[in-house]
Amino acid sequence: PLRLLAAACLVALSRCKTVRYRTDEEGAPGTVIGTLADEMPVKAPGEMSFRLMRQFSNSSLVRVREEDGQLSIGEAGLDRERLCGQAPQCVLAFDVVSCWRERYRLVHVELEVRDINDNAPRFPHAQMALEVSESAAPGTRLPLEVAVDEDVGSNSIQSFQVSLNSHFGVEAQTRADGARCADLVLLQELDRERQPSYTLELVAKDGGSPARSGTATVHVRVLDANDNSPTFAQSSVTVELPEDAPPGSLLLDLDAADPDEGPNGEVVYAFSSQVPPEARRLFRLDPRSGHLTLEAAVDYERTRTYELDVRAQDRGASPRAATCTVVVRLTDVNDNAPRISISALRGAASAAGVAYVSEAAASESFVALVSATDRDSGANGQVRCSLRGHDHFALQRAYEDSYMIVTTAALDRERIPEYNLTVVAEDLGSPPFKTVRQYTVRVSDENDNAPLFAKPLYEVAVPENNPPGAYITTVVARDPDLGHNGKVTYRLLETQVMGAPISTYVSVDPATGAIYALRTFNYEILKQLDLRIQATDGGSPQLSSSTVVKVRMVDQNDNPPVIIHPVLTNGTVEIGVSSKTSRDSLVAQIKARDADDGANAELTFAFLEESQQDLFTINPSTGDIVLRGDLSEELGQLFKVVLTVTDNGRPPLATTATVNFLVTATAPSSIQDLAKPSSWEGKALQWDIPLIVIIVLAGSCTLLLVAIITIATTCNRRKKGNNIKNNTALKDQIDISHLEKGHQEEGSQRGNMFEVRTFPSKTSFTSPDPSPAAEEISTTESGSDSTCLYEGQKRLRGQSGEGFTATPSYNKEPAPPVAIWKGHSFNTISGREAEKFSGKDSGKGDSDFNDSDSDISGDALKKDLITHMQNGLWACTAECKILGHSDRCWSPSCGRANPHPSPHPTAPLSTFCKSTSLPRDPLRRDNFYQAQLPKTVGLQSVYEKVLHRDFDRTITLLSPPRPARLPDLQEIGVPLFPAPSTRYLGPQPETTEKA
């Protein structure tokens, strides 16, 4: 079924299809008539193309769009009257070729141009003159000139009208050729004496919508009476005339009788005004005899019927006339031979008789259209066509008398580039007419042949050491195609040779295929070079083929021999020979090599010094040195021999070396040790210097990495040891039980929170006498437990008891660092910066700008007073009644409890803010403590136990180490101590006086 379907498709594609369209004349250029793609059985407009055949040369009438075969009106427009004249039907026929997937199909298009009422009727003359006898009887007909309307059908003349009068009327008639004419009919008798003439207006109207009309003026002159009129035997006569009748043939002898005598009875014959000029040219009417003869040859295929109106008129004073209609009908004869018209699909015009077809065309492909026509009718116009010349082509009927030349087999231009065909057309007349036409079909080239090399493998030998640019060989490929399809270009296919592109070794001329060397070849490095050359044509798509070129390098004697054993030193080698070596013993073996090949590498060994031939000889082929003499008496002697190694090249190359034989007292060596080079020498020759450098660098980096790791490990261990020692010291320093018992003179370290030490007095800083060295405790900070402590410097006060100064002079001795609480840990700052955190009182005008007593307006004091009165002055003491309130009294209360348990649960704890200050001496308000400690009742008891001389000391806060991080709180807990029995221990009298 698939094969039958494919065959049916091929037949359908190869046959012709007739498509009919209709359009009105005078359409605007570009008006779409129809689309041929819609009429095709294969709906693939994107894959189809349409072209107008060459036989329809006037493409200005109809245009065909190539993509889908859309038909539209051309620039010249369609005028039915100009194309078809008065023919009742106007059909414009042309052929279009459609192409789909390299298959061509002929489409015959018949375009009917419909008439529109674009022409008005018109008379040949605007003025017409008629004569009529006053004695003419009513009903007499007077022929009028035939009006002309170029339109046909209903748009042509349909009726006539004459102006209103009482004597004449008009009557329309249809002629034998289909034309409409009118006669003026006499309605009543005339009286010349009453009215000698009449002027009438004649109107001709067509049947269009809207109707058009034409007018003419008819002048009728009334003549005096003539008794009798000429009379024809028949008012209408029909004559048949063969179209091949010779000119001069008699058609009819007309005879009109008039009973009058004299001039009134003499009859004259003439064609009426209704006879067209073409009929007057073809026929002749004798005015005296009335003989109607053929004046010129007639053609049935041109006009088949002629209607002649003959008028017979007497010669009286008032002539009277009669009319006879003669219809001449032509009969067809086989007088025309068939005509052959061949329209090629593409290529040269059909007149040249050449058509082109692609060699890739499939079977049943359309080549050309053959149209055979015969102007004869009937059997005389029926034509049969046949094709002769070659069986690769056949003739198929397309429609009516049109045939198609199609291919019957695959074509090959390389085998048969041209075909000479003969088209024969013959009609069915008797006798038949035959027409023979020679036609040439040329096969156009397609890129169906790839270039072919003369050899599948090229082998060429090139001597080494060639100069760059040397010619190697030429490869040749042939392509039987034509033009660009047969133009061959060559290129070298890229490969890698010894890590480099092959294009760096050779080059190929793309036009000639010549191969040239780009570098000097060395046989010892590269013995053979394999090339692959590709030849490509210029067709579309391109076809290519390749061949292999083997370039073999020919060795040249360009390398001298090289002695490899024993190892030479500056061209000299020393060989020890035992004095006990026996005669004909192998002393040494010379090894040499030559990088060349073949005869160029065949070596010959020889000694140049003939004087030593009696002791040592060398084998020319193997290089073995044999002792020929006795060396027992030559101990310590040195024998010098010049060794030469020569190859067998042309010209030969040689290498010389000096061999020194030293006679020793050692035992003779074995033959194997003398003949073979040591393994160490072989390895030394194979050492790779870059590898050695890499090994050295790798070892250095390894040693550096080991050193860094060792140092890092050592430092880490030392740091851990220091942390353990510091934690131990902290445990020993946090005992503050002596504060709870009130023993301030004891310096015991058993307490666990605070330590009071003397602060250096002003005398100690200003006195020229050196003071004792201060005891200094280093501050240690641990990252894990955030353990810090405040340290003071314990200095002895001077005996002079000079007054105390709050800020000692830093010119002589730098202030010790002070640890303060910030955030979650203690931080160590300098003594100079510690003044920023001091809690100064408001007593004697020594306050800083930011102190409470520096507020001039007193607004801040009022606000604090109101606030503290509401909250209660929790930090006030008995001294406040005498000396007034200090900053400690106005400090806010920290009423929140510490949620974290103390490491000493037995001691009561009191909370204080981390930004409060330590209590100060009420008698000496300029003193302050460089530590941020809360002012609590517990701390106040501690303060009251301190002597006056101890106010020059710094409070050191020791925080016990904990295993966990200090909680994120704004307060810390300290032990709450009971108030002591004594509130104040005054200093020595001299100190008080000084103060």
Side-chain angles (χ1 to χ4, degrees):
L2 293 177
R3 294 182 179 178
L4 293 177
L5 179 61
C9 292
L10 291 176
V11 172
L13 288 174
S14 61
R15 289 181 179 178
C16 176
K17 179 179 179 63
T18 300
V19 181
R20 294 179 175 86
Y21 294 100
R22 292 183 178 88
T23 185
D24 294 333
E25 66 169 336
E26 303 299 340
T31 302
V32 177
I33 300 172
T35 304
L36 295 178
D38 298 338
E39 308 294 336
M40 297 292 103
V42 180
K43 302 296 183 181
E47 301 179 1
M48 300 183 68
S49 61
F50 297 84
R51 282 182 287 181
L52 194 64
M53 292 293 294
R54 294 183 178 274
Q55 64 176 2
F56 188 72
S57 58
N58 194 357
S59 59
S60 61
L61 298 178
V62 179
R63 291 181 298 186
V64 179
R65 191 162 66 183
E66 184 176 356
E67 292 80 7
D68 55 358
Q70 184 186 82
L71 303 179
S72 59
I73 299 177
E75 295 81 0
L78 297 177
D79 187 0
R80 196 204 65 81
E81 290 76 25
R82 181 168 56 86
L83 295 174
C84 303
Q86 294 296 318
Q89 187 177 16
C90 183
V91 177
L92 188 63
F94 55 91
D95 296 301
V96 177
V97 175
S98 65
C99 177
W100 178 71
R101 295 184 179 177
E102 296 298 329
R103 294 189 177 277
Y104 299 95
R105 180 174 184 177
L106 184 66
V107 181
H108 181 68
V109 181
E110 294 181 356
L111 177 61
E112 180 183 355
V113 182
R114 293 179 295 193
D115 181 54
I116 62 174
N117 191 23
D118 57 341
N119 296 281
R122 58 182 178 85
F123 291 94
H125 302 92
Q127 304 290 330
M128 289 185 291
L130 296 178
E131 293 179 350
V132 61
S133 175
E134 63 176 341
S135 61
T140 302
R141 307 175 72 89
L142 301 177
L144 298 173
E145 292 184 359
V146 178
V148 178
D149 192 339
E150 295 180 353
D151 296 328
V152 296
S154 62
N155 294 326
S156 63
I157 298 175
Q158 299 297 323
S159 62
F160 295 90
Q161 295 178 358
V162 68
S163 58
L164 184 62
N165 66 94
S166 60
H167 291 81
F168 297 96
V170 66
E171 184 177 341
Q173 295 182 1
T174 301
R175 296 164 54 88
D177 56 359
R180 298 281 289 178
C181 62
D183 292 339
L184 192 64
V185 181
L186 182 62
L187 299 179
Q188 61 182 4
E189 294 181 354
L190 300 175
D191 187 357
R192 191 183 68 83
E193 287 74 16
R194 291 181 59 186
Q195 187 174 352
S197 64
Y198 296 87
T199 300
L200 307 175
E201 183 178 357
L202 181 64
V203 178
K205 290 185 177 181
D206 59 22
S209 178
R212 295 176 178 266
S213 63
T215 61
T217 303
V218 180
H219 299 279
V220 180
R221 186 168 64 93
V222 181
L223 301 176
D224 193 12
N226 189 359
D227 296 334
N228 297 291
S229 299
T231 305
F232 286 100
Q234 296 177 353
S235 60
S236 178
V237 180
T238 300
V239 179
E240 289 188 357
L241 177 68
E243 64 173 333
D244 59 348
S249 300
L250 179 64
L251 276 68
L252 184 63
D253 186 5
L254 295 175
D255 185 12
D258 192 338
D260 294 334
E261 294 180 355
N264 293 332
E266 295 180 2
V267 179
V268 178
Y269 300 93
F271 290 121
S272 69
S273 60
Q274 296 179 346
V275 178
E278 179 67 16
R280 295 174 184 268
R281 183 183 67 81
L282 296 176
F283 302 97
R284 179 179 180 274
L285 181 62
D286 189 286
R288 302 293 297 177
S289 63
H291 293 169
L292 182 64
T293 59
L294 182 63
E295 183 71 13
V298 293
D299 189 359
Y300 173 85
E301 288 73 29
R302 184 174 182 180
T303 304
R304 298 184 180 185
T305 303
Y306 296 92
E307 184 173 340
L308 307 175
D309 292 330
V310 179
R311 183 180 181 185
Q313 183 178 352
D314 59 20
R315 302 181 66 183
S318 299
R320 305 183 71 171
T323 303
C324 178
T325 300
V326 179
V327 178
V328 180
R329 299 184 183 276
L330 303 181
T331 58
D332 181 47
V333 296
N334 191 19
D335 59 342
N336 295 285
R339 292 189 302 175
I340 298 176
S341 175
I342 302 179
S343 301
L345 174 63
R346 59 179 180 175
S350 59
V354 178
Y356 291 87
V357 62
S358 172
E359 64 175 329
S363 180
E364 303 276 341
S365 295
F366 175 79
V367 178
L369 176 64
V370 178
S371 298
T373 58
D374 195 323
R375 298 182 60 188
D376 298 328
S377 61
N380 298 330
Q382 296 179 6
V383 182
R384 295 179 300 183
C385 290
S386 60
L387 182 66
R388 305 169 186 174
H390 205 283
D391 56 358
H392 284 177
F393 298 89
L395 207 61
Q396 292 182 0
R397 182 181 291 273
Y399 58 92
E400 297 179 356
D401 294 332
S402 297
Y403 299 85
M404 296 184 301
I405 300 177
V406 297
T407 61
T408 59
L411 307 178
D412 189 359
R413 189 203 63 82
E414 289 72 30
R415 292 179 59 247
I416 304 177
E418 183 177 289
Y419 296 86
N420 293 320
L421 305 178
T422 302
V423 179
V424 178
E426 184 178 7
D427 60 22
L428 301 180
S430 180
F433 281 88
K434 181 186 296 185
T435 301
V436 179
R437 175 80 177 273
Q438 300 293 331
Y439 200 70
T440 301
V441 177
R442 293 177 182 171
V443 182
S444 59
D445 182 57
E446 295 291 338
N447 190 27
D448 56 346
N449 294 281
L452 182 62
F453 281 96
K455 298 179 182 179
L457 176 65
Y458 289 82
E459 294 183 353
V460 60
V462 177
E464 66 171 335
N465 302 324
N466 60 290
Y471 170 78
I472 297 177
T473 187
T474 299
V475 294
V476 178
R478 305 293 182 185
D479 194 326
D481 295 328
L482 297 178
H484 290 287
N485 298 332
K487 186 178 181 180
V488 180
T489 57
Y490 303 89
R491 75 182 186 95
L492 178 65
L493 297 181
E494 283 291 347
T495 56
Q496 293 289 328
V497 177
M498 300 179 64
I502 198 171
S503 57
T504 61
Y505 288 83
V506 295
S507 66
V508 178
D509 190 329
T512 63
I515 304 175
Y516 299 92
L518 296 181
R519 61 170 66 179
T520 299
F521 297 132
N522 191 346
Y523 175 82
E524 288 73 29
I525 299 177
L526 182 64
K527 292 181 172 55
Q528 181 172 312
L529 186 63
D530 293 338
L531 315 176
R532 182 169 290 276
I533 308 298
Q534 184 184 62
T536 307
D537 58 23
S540 178
Q542 293 181 338
L543 300 179
S544 61
S545 62
S546 61
T547 186
V548 176
V549 180
K550 294 193 174 197
V551 181
R552 182 174 53 85
M553 313 304 169
V554 179
D555 183 42
Q556 302 292 319
N557 191 24
D558 56 344
N559 294 283
V562 177
I563 300 174
I564 60 175
H565 177 74
V567 179
L568 301 180
T569 302
N570 295 329
T572 305
V573 63
E574 182 175 310
I575 299 176
V577 182
S578 175
S579 60
K580 300 178 182 180
T581 302
S582 60
R583 187 186 298 269
D584 296 331
S585 297
L586 180 62
V587 176
Q589 187 177 21
I590 304 299
K591 297 293 184 181
R593 65 180 178 184
D594 195 321
D596 294 328
D597 196 9
N600 298 326
E602 296 178 359
L603 304 180
T604 303
F605 302 88
F607 287 146
L608 294 182
E609 295 294 338
E610 298 295 339
S611 59
Q612 303 297 336
Q613 288 295 334
D614 54 347
L615 291 178
F616 300 97
T617 60
I618 187 169
N619 190 319
S621 300
T622 63
D624 295 339
I625 300 176
V626 179
L627 179 62
R628 296 298 184 184
D630 185 10
L631 298 179
S632 58
E633 302 296 332
E634 304 294 338
L635 183 62
Q637 294 295 324
L638 183 66
F639 299 93
K640 182 178 180 181
V641 177
V642 177
L643 173 66
T644 176
V645 183
T646 307
D647 58 23
N648 292 335
R650 295 291 183 270
L653 299 179
T655 299
T656 59
T658 301
V659 181
N660 296 324
F661 295 99
L662 178 62
V663 181
T664 62
T666 60
S669 301
S670 64
I671 297 178
Q672 294 180 353
D673 294 340
L674 293 174
K676 296 183 180 179
S678 64
S679 60
W680 173 253
E681 293 175 353
K683 293 181 181 179
L685 294 175
Q686 298 178 357
W687 281 357
D688 191 353
I689 295 178
L691 180 60
I692 296 175
V693 174
I694 293 174
I695 294 174
V696 172
L697 292 178
S700 302
C701 294
T702 304
L703 294 177
L704 180 59
L705 181 61
V706 171
I708 292 174
I709 295 174
T710 303
I711 294 173
T713 304
T714 304
C715 293
N716 191 18
R717 291 178 180 176
R718 291 181 180 178
K719 186 175 180 180
K720 291 182 178 179
N722 293 335
N723 292 337
I724 296 174
K725 293 179 181 179
N726 293 333
N727 293 335
T728 305
L730 288 174
K731 292 180 180 180
D732 298 338
Q733 294 175 3
I734 61 177
D735 187 7
I736 57 174
S737 60
H738 67 286
L739 295 177
E740 299 177 0
K741 297 178 181 181
H743 303 288
Q744 70 180 87
E745 64 275 0
E746 294 178 4
S748 175
Q749 300 299 328
R750 294 176 297 174
N752 61 351
M753 288 301 293
F754 294 96
E755 179 186 28
V756 179
R757 298 189 182 185
T758 59
F759 193 82
S761 65
K762 181 176 181 181
T763 307
S764 63
F765 286 101
T766 58
S767 176
D769 298 333
S771 61
E775 297 178 3
E776 181 177 350
I777 302 175
S778 62
T779 302
T780 304
E781 179 178 353
S782 176
S784 61
D785 52 9
S786 300
T787 302
C788 297
L789 56 89
Y790 290 98
E791 293 181 342
Q793 293 183 352
K794 184 177 181 182
R795 297 181 179 272
L796 298 177
R797 297 174 55 89
Q799 298 298 329
S800 60
E802 295 180 359
F804 174 78
T805 178
T807 56
S809 175
Y810 290 92
N811 295 331
K812 295 183 179 181
E813 184 175 357
V818 178
I820 64 172
W821 175 267
K822 292 183 65 176
H824 306 297
S825 62
F826 290 96
N827 293 326
T828 302
I829 62 175
S830 63
R832 189 182 301 273
E833 294 180 354
E835 295 179 3
K836 301 177 183 179
F837 307 97
S838 65
K840 294 184 179 180
D841 58 16
S842 305
K844 297 182 179 181
D846 56 350
S847 301
D848 292 339
F849 177 77
N850 293 326
D851 197 5
S852 60
D853 57 353
S854 65
D855 186 3
I856 301 174
S857 63
D859 294 337
L861 182 60
K862 293 177 181 179
K863 294 180 180 179
D864 293 341
L865 180 60
I866 295 173
T867 302
H868 289 297
M869 290 180 65
Q870 296 175 355
N871 298 332
L873 301 176
W874 63 275
C876 289
T877 60
E879 289 83 354
C880 295
K881 299 178 180 179
I882 302 174
L883 301 177
H885 294 285
S886 65
D887 291 343
R888 174 173 57 84
C889 301
W890 305 105
S891 298
S893 174
C894 297
R896 292 180 297 174
N898 189 351
H900 300 278
S902 173
H904 304 280
T906 58
L909 295 177
S910 175
T911 60
F912 60 92
C913 296
K914 66 180 180 180
S915 61
T916 54
S917 304
L918 290 174
R920 293 179 294 183
D921 185 5
L923 299 179
R924 304 186 64 178
R925 300 178 60 85
D926 56 345
N927 297 336
F928 58 94
Y929 299 93
Q930 302 292 341
Q932 294 181 347
L933 296 177
K935 293 179 275 190
T936 62
V937 177
L939 292 180
Q940 179 181 357
S941 62
V942 176
Y943 158 75
E944 291 173 350
K945 294 179 182 181
V946 180
L947 296 176
H948 179 71
R949 64 177 180 270
D950 294 332
F951 283 117
D952 293 338
R953 299 177 182 176
T954 300
I955 302 302
T956 301
L957 177 62
L958 301 179
S959 178
R962 297 180 182 179
R965 184 178 62 86
L966 191 66
D968 185 10
L969 297 174
Q970 297 296 323
E971 58 189 24
I972 59 177
V974 298
L976 180 63
F977 301 100
S981 58
T982 60
R983 295 182 55 84
Y984 179 75
L985 296 177
Q988 296 177 0
E990 60 274 16
T991 305
T992 307
E993 294 176 359
K994 288 287 183 178

